[in-house]
Amino acid sequence: MRWILGILLGIAVLLYIVSFFIDEPLRRMTERKINRDLKGYSVKLPGLHLALIGLSLTLKDLTIIQQAHPEPPVAKFPVLKASVHWREILSGRLVGELLLDRPRLHINLLQLRSEATSKVKLKERGWQQAVEDIYPLKINTVTVNDANITYIDEDPKRPLVLSHLNLEASNIRNIHLPDKVYPSSFHLETDIFGTGRGVIDGKANFLAEPIPGVKAGFKLEKIPMGYFKPMLARSNLAIEGGVLHASGDTEYAPKIKKAHLKELTIRGMKLDYVHSPATAGAEKRRAAVVGKSAKEVSNKPGILISVDDLSLSGCNLGMVNREPGKTYRVYLADTQFHLSNFSNQFAQGPAQARLDGKFMGNGPTHVTGAFRAEKQGPDLDLYVKIDNTQLTSLNDLLRAYGNFDVAAGTFSLVTELHVKNNAITGYLKPFFKDMKVYDKRKDKEKSLFHKVYEMLIGGVAKLLENRPRQQVATKADISGPLQRPHTSTWQIIVELIRNAFFKAILPRFEQEYTSAGKR
């Protein structure tokens, strides 16, 4: 027994010593093989250690570089350790386990665009072969400790950072529970942008064909929305502030694609849609793509998109126009918005929406709507009521489209719109009360011609007044077929409001002014 123990001890010491002698040749060979197999990327491997006792391989300070944009490196791995998953030896399977300790991923917009425009497909980049170059065994378990992922869009001062990310994925090779739809399990948790927190728990079948299948639940807390400002700007959205909370689940597999948002709440956000002549073409193309995509997924078998509850609280929502000579912002302040039972499947029933706020910061506003998944086109009912908005807060808009402003008065609006079977019906009825267009003190710097014009507009208001209520009222009926039946529901709403307000109310008012002048 002493001789046997002595021999085993001697072999162990010999293997330990030998392992240090083979580290450097093995490091050079591994680095060379990985660089040979990768396309578009290269690696630097300063250190490697092979433990012959235990058959584990540790890579030290492995760095991955995108050749098109080498700075900064895409990833750094202080410690990457691959070893035999000894517990599975009892199951008769020889597989490996992978440990990534404190990895750092750093990605920017240029690197992403280079990846997106590359003619080499992802599966042809050689990543799978590179992993096999590192360790020949199939990986069955992956553990990531304290990872850090940084993405920089257009503003390097506001990076998107996932920190303290931990991940555990087991049974990747489906050794256990092979008959289950999702035999593997995984858990991920991370800090988001410093103050936020995210957790994902799920199951998967990583070996499913033609794509892996995943089913998971997620929870997001205290996500600061301001960090998305550079990305949203590319969609003509300007955002400030706001905190997001969300929870839900998703399933993505060869036969089913499901996204279920149980709850999403955003508080304290200011969000503007910004229109400008420079982006007008892109806006139209984007709207067409959104409308087409919405049509494609509407009632499509195997795809379920649903929202149980979506809420905006204390938000400021606006639209900004930056056309030369027509600069203005219309908005809703103190917005409380609630959407429930939204789905892309008609069988799920209509979605219900409710909005309360203050138009232009002072006019109490109430909106309700019902939306159904589109079969032959948009299907919605919309009711809007705006009370006693101070007209002076609309002066930028009145100057843009009516070439006049006001010194006093209030504006109210009632509208009802229905869209079904590619046809629109409804009406839009605005009220102008106690409107005072010309004020000598306010307008003393204006030209004589413009003063006369505003006095005439004010005179028209008097002619149109409903005497008992001292208000100007007109009604714009809206009816007819949809010119573009594939337009999305949200695009229909925006265009209806814009066309009714800018192309019905103000021209109608101007028309009355012309008729009054002739009389």
Side-chain angles (χ1 to χ4, degrees):
M1 182 62 66
R2 290 177 181 174
W3 276 101
I4 292 174
L5 291 176
I7 292 173
L8 292 176
L9 180 61
I11 293 175
V13 172
L14 181 62
L15 291 175
Y16 181 76
I17 295 173
V18 169
S19 66
F20 283 95
F21 283 99
I22 64 174
D23 281 352
E24 179 55 25
L26 184 59
R27 182 200 67 79
R28 292 196 300 267
M29 182 183 69
T30 301
E31 184 181 66
R32 184 173 63 252
K33 290 175 65 177
I34 295 175
N35 284 323
R36 178 196 63 195
D37 292 327
L38 286 180
K39 294 179 176 61
Y41 292 83
S42 60
V43 302
K44 294 181 180 179
L45 180 58
L48 176 149
H49 177 62
L50 173 65
L52 294 175
I53 302 175
L55 300 178
S56 66
L57 182 70
T58 302
L59 307 187
K60 301 176 181 179
D61 296 322
L62 175 68
T63 302
I64 300 177
I65 299 169
Q66 186 189 60
Q67 294 173 349
H69 301 282
E71 290 295 334
V74 172
K76 291 185 177 182
F77 300 93
V79 176
L80 187 157
K81 183 178 180 180
S83 58
V84 175
H85 195 181
W86 292 104
R87 191 178 67 182
E88 298 302 340
I89 295 292
L90 301 176
S91 303
R93 301 292 295 271
L94 182 59
V95 292
E97 55 185 357
L98 187 66
L99 169 65
L100 305 176
D101 192 38
R102 294 171 287 112
R104 299 291 182 263
L105 276 66
H106 195 291
I107 307 165
N108 60 37
L109 184 59
L110 288 176
Q111 292 167 334
L112 277 185
R113 287 175 174 170
S114 178
E115 182 73 23
T117 56
S118 175
K119 296 180 180 180
V120 182
K121 297 180 180 179
L122 180 62
K123 63 181 181 181
E124 298 173 355
R125 294 294 180 90
W127 293 107
Q128 182 176 346
Q129 184 60 46
V131 174
E132 294 178 359
D133 291 336
I134 295 172
Y135 204 70
L137 298 182
K138 300 291 185 181
I139 301 300
N140 188 56
T141 300
V142 174
T143 302
V144 179
N145 292 330
D146 196 21
N148 186 290
I149 302 175
T150 301
Y151 170 70
I152 295 179
D153 201 81
E154 295 181 346
D155 185 1
K157 296 180 180 179
R158 295 186 68 84
L160 305 182
V161 180
L162 302 182
S163 56
H164 305 298
L165 186 149
N166 298 290
L167 168 67
E168 292 184 2
S170 60
N171 196 37
I172 295 173
R173 309 308 304 179
N174 297 353
I175 296 173
H176 304 286
L177 307 173
D179 297 331
K180 294 287 185 180
V181 178
Y182 300 110
S184 306
S185 62
F186 63 93
H187 173 82
L188 182 149
E189 56 184 45
T190 182
D191 293 341
I192 304 175
F193 312 156
T195 61
R197 182 72 176 165
V199 177
I200 301 176
D201 276 297
K203 297 184 178 297
N205 186 347
F206 295 106
L207 304 183
E209 295 290 346
I211 58 173
V214 177
K215 184 177 182 179
F218 65 89
K219 187 173 184 180
L220 304 175
E221 297 178 335
K222 299 180 181 179
I223 310 299
M225 297 294 294
Y227 281 87
F228 296 107
K229 186 172 184 177
M231 291 177 287
L232 292 175
R234 291 196 288 274
S235 298
N236 292 78
L237 293 173
I239 190 171
E240 293 181 14
V243 178
L244 178 146
H245 300 259
S247 64
D249 54 78
T250 182
E251 185 172 4
Y252 190 86
K255 294 184 179 180
I256 186 171
K257 295 171 180 62
K258 174 183 174 183
H260 174 213
L261 191 60
K262 295 180 181 178
E263 181 182 8
L264 186 147
T265 302
I266 301 177
R267 296 187 178 93
M269 171 183 67
K270 180 183 178 183
L271 182 68
D272 284 333
Y273 182 83
V274 183
H275 168 73
S276 68
T279 62
E283 292 174 51
K284 290 183 178 180
R285 291 190 295 271
R286 190 184 307 119
V289 171
V290 171
K292 182 180 179 181
S293 299
K295 187 69 176 177
E296 289 175 351
V297 301
S298 180
N299 294 291
K300 187 172 184 179
I303 296 180
L304 176 59
I305 301 171
S306 60
V307 179
D308 291 347
D309 188 285
L310 185 152
S311 299
L312 303 180
S313 177
C315 294
N316 188 305
L317 309 178
M319 186 182 76
V320 176
N321 188 69
R322 290 182 177 168
E323 294 183 43
K326 293 184 177 181
T327 302
Y328 60 86
R329 178 177 185 256
V330 291
Y331 64 94
L332 279 171
D334 300 329
T335 301
Q336 307 292 326
F337 174 76
H338 182 76
L339 174 69
S340 61
N341 195 45
F342 178 82
S343 173
N344 71 316
Q345 296 293 333
F346 188 85
Q348 299 293 318
Q352 302 293 332
R354 178 187 176 94
L355 181 149
D356 292 285
K358 294 180 179 178
F359 183 54
M360 303 306 292
N362 59 81
T365 301
H366 178 66
V367 181
T368 59
F371 311 86
R372 287 162 287 276
E374 304 172 359
K375 283 189 173 182
Q376 303 301 323
D379 188 348
L380 66 98
D381 302 302
L382 185 67
Y383 306 86
V384 180
K385 184 178 181 182
I386 301 174
D387 286 325
N388 299 322
T389 301
Q390 294 299 314
L391 272 173
T392 52
S393 64
L394 288 167
N395 270 335
D396 288 342
L397 184 66
L398 296 174
R399 281 191 291 267
Y401 289 91
N403 197 29
F404 69 94
D405 53 19
V406 298
T410 61
F411 164 77
S412 299
L413 174 72
V414 177
T415 184
E416 179 179 334
L417 299 172
H418 305 276
V419 180
K420 191 175 181 66
N421 298 326
N422 291 324
I424 305 170
T425 59
Y427 68 89
L428 187 146
K429 191 171 184 179
F431 301 84
F432 298 86
K433 184 179 180 182
D434 299 329
M435 185 168 65
K436 187 176 182 182
V437 177
Y438 177 65
D439 185 300
K440 292 182 179 179
R441 294 168 299 174
K442 182 174 180 290
D443 296 338
K444 63 181 180 179
E445 300 298 330
K446 295 181 179 179
S447 67
L448 177 62
F449 175 81
H450 201 83
K451 290 177 183 179
V452 172
Y453 171 75
E454 291 191 346
M455 289 175 68
L456 289 173
I457 291 290
V460 173
K462 291 294 183 183
L463 290 174
L464 293 175
E465 278 181 358
N466 182 334
R467 294 294 178 182
R469 298 186 179 181
Q470 294 294 298
Q471 63 186 15
V472 178
T474 185
K475 183 178 180 182
D477 290 316
I478 302 171
S479 63
L482 276 180
Q483 295 180 350
R484 289 178 292 169
H486 298 297
T487 305
S488 70
T489 297
W490 299 108
Q491 190 181 354
I492 284 288
I493 295 172
V494 171
E495 289 191 1
L496 282 177
I497 295 174
R498 181 175 59 190
N499 290 340
F501 197 87
F502 299 154
K503 298 181 180 179
I505 298 176
L506 292 173
R508 188 71 163 265
F509 191 84
E510 197 170 6
Q511 191 177 41
E512 294 291 347
Y513 149 69
T514 304
S515 299
K518 290 179 179 179
R519 291 196 295 269

